[in-house]
Amino acid sequence: QVQLVESGGGVVQPGRSLRLSCATSGFTFSSYGMHWVRQAPGKGLEWVAVIWSDGNNKYYADSVKGRFTISRDNSNGTLYLQMKTLRAEDTAVYYCAKEARDVASFPRGWFDPWGQGTLVTVSS
Amino acid sequence: QMTQSPSSLSASVGDRVTITCRASQDIKNYLAWYQQKPGKVPKLLIYGASTLQSGVPSRFSGGGSGTDFTLTISSLQPEDVATYYCQKYSGAPHTFGQGTKLEIK
């Protein structure tokens, strides 16, 4: 079955960097767009970034543009989120999510499934 | 921008419940609904505005197109206590609504 497992979260000081990973299995990773979504404590879902299946197109929420970089390694089925210049407002559970249908399908942009999430806390 | 209403809702078991989601521009039917139970990961309920995901109870239904969408629970059950989110996928940003918290009266 499809599995998405995030890692790399933790406590980090404001202004520092952190890299999250999402290890996947159970599907052909290179055929699917992948997303990061975050949820601040007690708040709603916020879409963060998407990377297309071939890695050549990436889009970001305005709140993270210029500070976060999404990437992927199709050789080992792993998605990444490099986060720089972290702020207190970046504190959240970060989920990776797989697009429900592969690159040959249209439309395809809804998410299924989601990983369990990894908590990032930005605090001094 | 995606705007959900209401932000919270309390209803009785067996009630018909409707949540509304409005898009700031025409998104055709590129809309999904997710359910997030307390402490759990979001779960896909509906995509294409009205297509029920496999395994989702038939009391859930979705409707609408363009800018106005609805999620309806035909007969509310105790296990439906959750926060519900709409999401557009017509192109980046894949914005979520702010959520509707559903409780049992």
Side-chain angles (χ1 to χ4, degrees), chain A residues 35 39 44-45 47 59 95 101 106-107 109-112 114-116, chain B residues 30 32 34 36 40-42 44 47 53 85 87 89 92-94 96:
Chain A
H35 298 249
Q39 186 168 35
L45 301 173
W47 176 82
Y59 299 93
Y95 298 100
R101 291 185 175 168
F106 185 84
W110 59 98
F111 302 163
D112 183 54
W114 299 51
Q116 289 297 310
Chain B
Y30 299 149
Y34 300 89
Q36 187 178 32
K40 301 296 186 181
V41 175
L44 175 69
Y47 60 92
Q53 171 72 350
Y85 297 92
Q87 183 212 14
Y89 54 89
H94 296 246
F96 289 91

Side-chain angles (χ1 to χ4, degrees), chain A residues 44-96:
Chain A
L45 301 173
E46 180 186 13
W47 176 82
V48 172
V50 58
I51 184 167
W52 288 16
S53 58
D54 59 6
N56 287 336
N57 290 280
K58 308 171 186 181
Y59 299 93
Y60 300 90
D62 287 345
S63 58
V64 307
K65 202 173 295 181
R67 300 187 300 122
F68 289 13
T69 301
I70 190 171
S71 62
R72 64 191 296 158
D73 186 341
N74 283 348
S75 69
N76 67 12
T78 304
L79 176 72
Y80 301 100
L81 186 67
Q82 177 69 53
M83 305 184 293
K84 298 182 178 180
T85 319
L86 283 161
R87 307 166 178 166
E89 54 264 35
D90 296 318
T91 294
V93 173
Y94 285 74
Y95 298 100
C96 62

